[in-house]
Amino acid sequence: WTARCRKVAELKNEKGAEFDGIEKSIVFDGTNLRQWCNLQRQYYKNYQAGTTPCWGMNEERAGLLEALEWNYIVGREDAKRLRKDDSWTARCRKVAELKNEKGAEFDGIEKSIVFDGTNLRQWCNLQRQYYKNYQAGTTPCWGMNEERAGLLEALEWNYIVGREDAKRLRKDDSWTARCRK
């Protein structure tokens, strides 16, 4: 078991960030490593849930798997989702950077800005809609959750409410400021 775990770690280290699981054809010590990983993933989940079977999975082995930080513990599809989460966070950071560059003049993302292969204006429009749907409890709100909603709110981005609403809010703010004088 330990030798197979080391081999998986070695393969993971070779591929780095691109690693999303074991290819079908890799056999080590007479065992198909992809099948072995699938079994370990299931045993790990069962062990965590306190259900059976969890053949040979124990605290030590679970710890070794966790130390690998192997996304494939949660499965190939979940590994893709985790990478997608990283992309979402990177895009959110880029929007924050652009917002900070423009300061108070920021009223949204220009049409031409592409980051990580994604048009950021379109991405922001989608996030705005997903955010609204998430707040309203409707669908679709693809991937929007409490954490992401919190990150968007922390940005204090007026474009959550839309470009036209942002202009109206700025106009309201200037009216309020004039009224206060």
Side-chain angles (χ1 to χ4, degrees), residues 30-99:
T31 301
N32 180 302
L33 280 183
R34 184 173 180 161
Q35 290 175 350
W36 184 81
C37 285
N38 286 337
L39 285 173
Q40 299 315 305
R41 181 177 61 245
Q42 191 58 54
Y43 298 158
Y44 175 87
K45 286 180 178 180
N46 290 349
Y47 176 76
Q48 295 295 349
T51 60
T52 55
C54 57
W55 305 104
M57 187 59 62
N58 56 36
E59 190 173 337
E60 179 186 359
R61 287 182 174 180
L64 288 171
L65 297 178
E66 291 165 359
L68 282 174
E69 297 177 353
W70 65 341
N71 292 338
Y72 47 93
I73 283 179
V74 292
R76 201 169 190 90
E77 289 306 309
D78 288 340
K80 290 177 185 174
R81 181 190 53 75
L82 289 171
R83 278 198 312 278
K84 189 174 182 179
D85 286 350
D86 291 344
S87 296
W88 189 96
T89 304
R91 290 179 186 125
C92 191
R93 279 194 205 113
K94 183 63 176 178
V95 169
E97 180 184 306
L98 294 169
K99 178 183 180 282

Side-chain angles (χ1 to χ4, degrees), residues 167-181:
K167 289 177 184 174
R168 182 187 51 76
L169 288 171
R170 275 199 317 279
K171 187 176 181 180
D172 289 349
D173 288 345
S174 64
W175 182 89
T176 305
R178 286 193 305 271
C179 186
R180 284 189 186 132
K181 284 185 178 180

Side-chain angles (χ1 to χ4, degrees), residues 4-15 28 68:
R4 291 180 188 130
C5 191
R6 277 193 209 117
K7 183 64 176 178
V8 169
E10 180 184 307
L11 293 169
K12 178 183 180 278
N13 290 334
E14 285 174 9
K15 291 208 175 184
F28 176 76
L68 282 174

Side-chain angles (χ1 to χ4, degrees), residues 51-161:
T51 60
T52 55
C54 57
W55 305 104
M57 187 59 62
N58 56 36
E59 190 173 337
E60 179 186 359
R61 287 182 174 180
L64 288 171
L65 297 178
E66 291 165 359
L68 282 174
E69 297 177 353
W70 65 341
N71 292 338
Y72 47 93
I73 283 179
V74 292
R76 201 169 190 90
E77 289 306 309
D78 288 340
K80 290 177 185 174
R81 181 190 53 75
L82 289 171
R83 278 198 312 278
K84 189 174 182 179
D85 286 350
D86 291 344
S87 296
W88 189 96
T89 304
R91 290 179 186 125
C92 191
R93 279 194 205 113
K94 183 63 176 178
V95 169
E97 180 184 306
L98 294 169
K99 178 183 180 282
N100 290 334
E101 285 174 8
K102 292 208 175 183
E105 299 301 313
F106 185 76
D107 67 353
I109 302 291
E110 298 170 17
K111 289 181 182 180
S112 61
I113 297 177
V114 174
F115 175 76
D116 195 25
T118 300
N119 180 301
L120 280 184
R121 184 173 180 168
Q122 291 174 350
W123 183 82
C124 287
N125 287 336
L126 284 172
Q127 299 316 305
R128 181 177 63 246
Q129 190 58 53
Y130 299 157
Y131 176 87
K132 286 180 178 179
N133 291 351
Y134 176 76
Q135 295 298 336
T138 60
T139 56
C141 58
W142 306 106
M144 186 58 63
N145 56 35
E146 188 174 341
E147 179 185 0
R148 286 182 174 181
L151 288 171
L152 297 178
E153 291 164 0
L155 282 174
E156 298 176 351
W157 64 343
N158 290 336
Y159 46 93
I160 284 179
V161 293

